[in-house]
């Protein structure tokens, strides 16, 4: 619950600059989104996939079986997000000042994609009872990623003509799904230790899907690929170091 609440608070924190800064340049937006993508990529690998492989290996006593289990879990997680992406109507890039409907669909997409992030926090927290590293690194990494995410939601609403305070409020509310999903993820792995590697791998697959399908394309959309890529590398390295320290 604490990790999910921290991630939700980070989403609201990301929208705060919009209340005091008149304009945030597109290159800074791209760099922040790239940073968030790098954080999520590193969290997927070091905080989810590697612990999933360790938990699977402890259960199967075979590296091949463990790798197969983790691979299947990753594919299930990514496939679940793909199915959700196809089933729920939304847009990835709201355009223009008067595209109110598109902007709200974009906000809805962000809220929906907070579900796997919350699940990842809860599932990783389930490691506390298995002797592996805790979910602190995952919660911290996703919180870092949520800061630019909250900013982008707020910017999209202001661009469509909504007030800054409304944009801030909506950005803050969009992150509230994460504590709920975190509770669900934690309860899931608490039921049975056998679910743990599947849950970790599935959460990693879902996060990888979000990074590739949503965050990276948005960070490159306005032609600031170099800054976005630089942000991604910095975010990846920072999360890797953070995971090592918190682990």
């Amino acid at each position: 619950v604490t990790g999910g609440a921290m991630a939700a608070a980070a989403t609201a924190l990301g929208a705060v600059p919009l209340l005091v800064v008149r304009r945030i340049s597109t290159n800074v937006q791209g760099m922040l989104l790239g940073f968030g993508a790098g954080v999520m990529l590193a969290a997927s690998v070091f905080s989810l996939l590697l612990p999933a492989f360790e938990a699977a290996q402890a259960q199967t006593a075979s590296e091949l079986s463990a790798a197969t289990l983790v691979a299947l879990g990753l594919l299930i997680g990514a496939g679940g997000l793909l199915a959700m992406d196809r089933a729920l109507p939304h847009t990835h890039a709201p355009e223009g000042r008067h595209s109110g409907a598109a902007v709200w669909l974009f906000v809805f997409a962000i809220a929906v994609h907070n579900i796997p992030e919350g699940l990842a926090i809860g599932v990783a927290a389930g490691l506390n009872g298995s002797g592996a590293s805790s979910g602190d690194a995952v919660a911290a990494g996703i919180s870092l990623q949520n800061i630019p995410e909250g900013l982008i939601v707020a910017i999209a609403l202001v661009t469509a003509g909504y007030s800054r305070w409304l944009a801030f409020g909506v950005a803050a509310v969009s992150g509230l799904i994460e504590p709920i999903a975190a509770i669900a993820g934690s309860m899931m792995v608490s039921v049975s230790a056998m679910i743990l590697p599947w849950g970790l791998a599935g959460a990693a697959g879902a996060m990888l899907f979000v990074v590739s399908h949503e965050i990276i394309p948005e960070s490159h959309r306005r032609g600031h690929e170099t800054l976005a890529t630089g942000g991604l590398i910095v975010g990846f390295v920072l999360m890797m170091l953070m995971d090592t320290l918190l682990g």
Side-chain angles (χ1 to χ4, degrees), residues 26-56:
T26 57
N27 58 346
V28 172
Q29 294 176 37
M31 181 177 63
L32 289 173
L33 280 172
F35 176 83
V39 167
M40 289 184 71
L41 284 173
S44 298
V45 175
F46 297 104
S47 300
L48 294 174
L49 286 178
L50 292 182
F53 181 76
E54 292 177 1

Side-chain angles (χ1 to χ4, degrees), residues 8-237:
T11 305
L13 178 64
V16 168
L18 201 66
L19 298 176
V20 294
V21 178
R22 298 302 301 175
R23 181 178 180 276
I24 298 175
S25 63
T26 57
N27 58 346
V28 172
Q29 294 176 37
M31 181 177 63
L32 289 173
L33 280 172
F35 176 83
V39 167
M40 289 184 71
L41 284 173
S44 298
V45 175
F46 297 104
S47 300
L48 294 174
L49 286 178
L50 292 182
F53 181 76
E54 292 177 1
Q57 207 171 10
Q59 291 181 8
T60 63
S62 166
E63 290 190 359
L64 179 59
S65 298
T68 302
L69 187 156
V70 171
L72 288 174
L74 190 152
L75 290 174
I76 291 171
L81 260 290
L82 176 60
M84 185 183 296
D85 184 80
R86 296 290 177 86
L88 298 174
H90 66 277
T91 183
H92 298 111
E95 300 285 354
R97 289 189 59 84
H98 303 293
S99 57
V103 168
W104 285 109
L105 286 172
F106 175 74
V107 172
F108 177 71
I110 293 295
V112 167
H113 291 142
N114 281 336
I115 295 174
E117 296 175 7
L119 286 173
I121 292 172
V123 170
L127 287 170
N128 285 333
S130 67
S133 62
S134 72
D136 291 344
V138 175
I142 290 176
S143 297
L144 284 174
Q145 182 271 328
N146 281 354
I147 293 176
E149 186 176 274
L151 177 63
I152 294 303
V153 168
I155 289 173
L157 287 166
V158 170
T159 301
Y162 295 97
S163 71
R164 292 173 181 264
W165 279 105
L166 176 63
F168 170 79
V170 171
V173 170
S174 71
L176 293 181
I177 190 65
E178 296 205 15
I180 300 172
I183 293 172
S186 180
M187 290 177 61
M188 178 181 69
V189 297
S190 296
V191 171
S192 172
M194 296 295 293
I195 303 176
L196 183 59
W198 290 98
L200 289 168
M207 288 178 66
L208 289 174
F209 179 89
V210 172
V211 169
S212 177
H213 196 65
E214 299 285 339
I215 301 177
I216 291 179
E218 182 66 17
S219 70
H220 288 203
R221 184 167 63 87
R222 297 182 180 178
H224 301 292
E225 294 89 350
T226 301
L227 282 173
T229 301
L232 185 149
I233 294 171
V234 171
F236 189 96
V237 171

